[in-house]
Amino acid sequence: AVDADRIRAAASAVPGVTLSLMASSAPAAVEYTSLSAGDRAFAWAEVEPGEYELAMRGEGVREAKQSVVVPPGVPDLRVDVVLERSW
């Protein structure tokens, strides 16, 4: 484990959006976060190096997924997230 590894995601402030991080080798999310009103950024600490899929869903936004690779030895990794309205 690389304790300093973390994934930071920045999103527009959209309450009720859930972001989940799934390892390519795991059937279930290894991390998840629900954004509240005013949340514009968050971080998951101690994310193991590897390949992941970041999934975003919530009322009023289109579901979206994007691949994320956490390289070994990287102390911080920023992932910008763009959420599109579903209407």
Side-chain angles (χ1 to χ4, degrees):
V2 181
D3 291 340
D5 277 358
R6 64 180 67 230
I7 290 183
R8 297 172 189 255
S12 299
V14 181
V17 170
T18 299
L19 296 102
S20 54
L21 187 67
M22 298 179 64
S24 298
S25 60
V30 293
E31 298 282 354
Y32 72 94
T33 296
S34 290
L35 300 180
S36 299
D39 288 346
R40 297 189 66 82
F42 67 93
W44 287 313
E46 300 181 24
V47 175
E48 296 283 335
E51 295 180 14
Y52 295 88
E53 182 174 79
L54 178 62
M56 297 139 294
R57 71 179 201 295
E59 187 174 330
V61 297
R62 291 186 181 166
E63 288 189 27
K65 294 180 181 180
Q66 71 185 63
S67 297
V68 176
V69 176
V70 179
V74 174
D76 291 307
L77 177 66
R78 181 183 171 106
V79 177
D80 290 318
V81 174
V82 177
L83 301 172
E84 296 182 32
R85 296 198 182 275
S86 60
W87 42 269

